[in-house]
Amino acid sequence: SDGCHAAALLATNFDHGPLSADAVREYSSYASRGLDEPAPSIRAAAASLLGRLIPDLVAGAQAGSLDPGAGRQALDRALGLEEKLVSLGGGDPHWGVKASCLEVASALLRGGGVNGAVATSAGKAVLQAVLKGPTAAAGALSEFGPDWDAMHPGLRRAVAACTGPLAGSPIDDGSQGLPLLGPLTVRALLTLAPRDRNDALGLKAGGAATGGSAGGGGVGCVLGGCDVLLLCRSLVDEVKAKKLDNLEAEHLALLSGLLREQCRRVPAGNSTGHYPLSQAWVEAYESLKQWVLVALCDPGGALLAAQVLELVATLSQLREDLLRDDLWGHVLELCFSEGPGDPMDPTCGAVCGQLLRRLAAASPQHLKACKDLVEAVRPVPNSALAKIGAGL
C-alpha cells in the first residue's frame, strides 16, 4: 500500500536531493495515505515522512531549488491534514504515532516562509493535541504541562526534542493554551528515567560526556538547536518554584548536560572572551550554588555536583573564586567527618578529594585556592582531608 511505501522510505534512511514537482506529489501522497493505515508502525512512519519533507520543501521553495508551486502544494497538503494529525496526536493509542505527529508539529512551527501564519497555527494545534492527549478539546493545559506520569517515556523524550529548539522563539508566546516551552522542555527531561535522560543529554551513565572532553552532543542528544541558557534559566525557576531543599540527581544531570553543551558549542579561548560559560551562565550557577555544593554531601548526587563545579571553576570567569565560598568549609567538614558516631561517607569523601585534586591541577591560582580551603577547615592531622591537602 501507499503507507507501506512511506514506511519503506524511512526504513532505508530516506534521503533525497532536489525534489521535482512529481516527487513532491508522490512522497506527500504516500505520507497522507499512510496516516490511515491500521498498522501503527506505518502510521508513525507516514507522519515522520511528512515531518521530514516539510523543512526541505519550505527551504527549497525559498531558495528556488524547488518549484515554489510544488513546495506550496505539498505544504498545503500537509496543512489539509491538520484535523487528522490533531486526531492522531491526541487520541492514537500508540506513543510512536504521537511522537511522529510531534515531528510534523515541529516542522510546521519551524518552517515559516511559505504559508507561515497558517503553518504556525496548524503546528500549535498538533502540539497541543499531543500534550493534552484525548482531552485536547477540554480547555488549556495547566502551566505545568501534561500528565507526565501517564505519558510513555519515549513520548516524553520526543516532547523535549520537539519543544526544546522552539523555546524562546517567536511562536513561544504562551498562546493557544500552550505553556511556555522552556519550562515544558525542562520538565519533560526531568521526568525521564536516568538512562534515557543521560542519552537525551549526550551523557554516559555516570554523567560524563559522550562527545569530547568539554561537552556532550552525543548521538542521542536532544539539545541541538536549543537555547541552552534559556533552558538553564528555566531549570533555576523550576527549582525555586518548587522550593526544593535538595537537588535530585535529575536536576544535577540536566544542569551538567546544559553546561557541557554550552562548552561544546563555545570552545575555550575563542574570540568571545576565552570562557565558554559567560557571565549569564555564572549568574545561573550562583542561583543554584548552595544546592550544588550541598549535593556534594549526597552519595547519589556527589559525582554530578562535582562535574558541575569543575566546569564552572575551569570554564567560566569565576575560576578559582568558586572555591572561596564560605559554604565550602561546611561541605568538607561533612564529607570528611570521622567521629565515632558520624563517620565519613566514603563516596562523598572520595568525590570531593578527586575534585580538589583536579581543580588544583587546573592552574597555579586553583592550586593556591584549594590549599587555602583545606587549611581553613583545619583538618585533624593524618585524617583523610589532611592527607589530600598535603598531596596537593
Side-chain angles (χ1 to χ4, degrees), residues 5-375:
H5 282 287
L9 283 169
L10 290 176
T12 55
N13 296 318
F14 172 68
D15 191 15
H16 59 74
L19 289 174
S20 66
D22 288 341
V24 167
R25 283 191 290 270
E26 182 180 10
Y27 292 147
S28 57
S29 175
Y30 290 158
S32 62
R33 295 185 185 185
L35 295 176
D36 292 321
E37 287 288 327
S41 60
I42 295 180
R43 293 198 302 277
S48 185
L49 176 57
L50 190 61
R52 294 188 187 194
L53 282 171
I54 290 171
D56 291 331
L57 293 171
V58 173
Q62 292 174 333
S65 59
L66 175 68
D67 173 22
R72 185 177 296 278
Q73 181 184 55
L75 192 57
D76 286 343
R77 182 188 292 271
L79 295 174
L81 296 171
E82 176 184 342
E83 184 176 349
K84 183 177 294 185
L85 290 166
V86 166
S87 176
L88 291 174
D92 198 291
H94 299 276
W95 74 267
V97 178
K98 294 175 179 286
S100 293
C101 288
L102 279 175
E103 290 185 44
V104 181
S106 179
L108 290 170
L109 290 170
R110 297 170 74 177
V114 183
N115 285 350
V118 180
T120 297
S121 177
K124 285 186 175 182
V126 176
L127 176 58
Q128 184 188 47
V130 175
L131 294 177
K132 294 174 66 176
T135 61
L141 281 162
S142 76
E143 62 174 309
F144 299 107
D147 182 354
W148 298 111
D149 291 336
M151 186 179 288
H152 190 281
L155 185 55
R156 294 180 213 162
R157 174 171 173 157
V159 169
C162 171
T163 59
L166 296 168
S169 69
I171 68 99
D172 186 17
D173 56 6
S175 66
Q176 295 191 0
L178 289 174
L180 293 176
L181 300 183
L184 185 73
T185 304
V186 164
R187 290 181 187 122
L189 290 168
L190 291 175
T191 63
L192 294 176
R195 182 175 180 177
D196 293 335
R197 182 171 47 256
N198 287 334
D199 184 49
L201 296 173
L203 301 174
K204 294 179 182 178
T210 61
S213 59
V219 175
C221 186
V222 304
L223 298 178
C226 294
D227 182 340
V228 284
L229 179 57
L230 183 149
L231 294 184
C232 188
R233 287 169 170 163
S234 295
L235 175 60
V236 171
D237 293 341
E238 174 83 3
V239 171
K240 290 183 175 181
K242 292 194 173 181
K243 300 179 180 179
L244 298 177
D245 293 327
N246 301 290
L247 291 182
E248 301 294 340
E250 56 264 29
H251 301 101
L252 292 164
L254 179 52
L255 179 57
S256 177
L258 294 170
L259 291 168
R260 289 179 184 279
E261 176 63 14
Q262 172 65 12
C263 294
R264 184 188 69 82
R265 296 180 185 181
V266 186
N270 74 357
S271 60
T272 62
H274 300 292
Y275 301 120
L277 302 175
S278 65
Q279 179 61 29
W281 283 95
V282 171
E283 291 171 1
Y285 161 76
E286 293 280 358
S287 297
L288 295 176
K289 70 176 181 180
Q290 289 184 319
W291 286 279
V292 175
L293 284 169
V294 169
L296 285 174
C297 306
D298 175 11
L303 182 59
L304 288 165
Q307 291 167 0
V308 169
L309 292 166
E310 183 177 356
L311 286 168
V312 178
T314 57
L315 295 174
S316 80
Q317 63 191 35
L318 198 57
R319 302 285 292 170
E320 68 277 2
D321 285 343
L322 178 142
L323 291 156
R324 297 195 170 101
D325 190 284
D326 291 340
L327 188 56
W328 270 101
H330 301 293
V331 168
L332 292 185
E333 288 174 355
L334 285 172
C335 288
F336 290 95
S337 57
E338 299 182 54
D342 189 19
M344 176 186 73
D345 185 290
T347 300
C348 298
V351 169
C352 280
Q354 183 182 43
L355 175 62
L356 289 172
R357 294 186 189 98
R358 289 174 66 88
L359 290 179
S363 74
Q365 294 81 9
H366 284 86
L367 173 59
K368 183 179 186 306
C370 287
K371 286 186 173 181
D372 290 346
L373 174 59
V374 174
E375 290 175 3

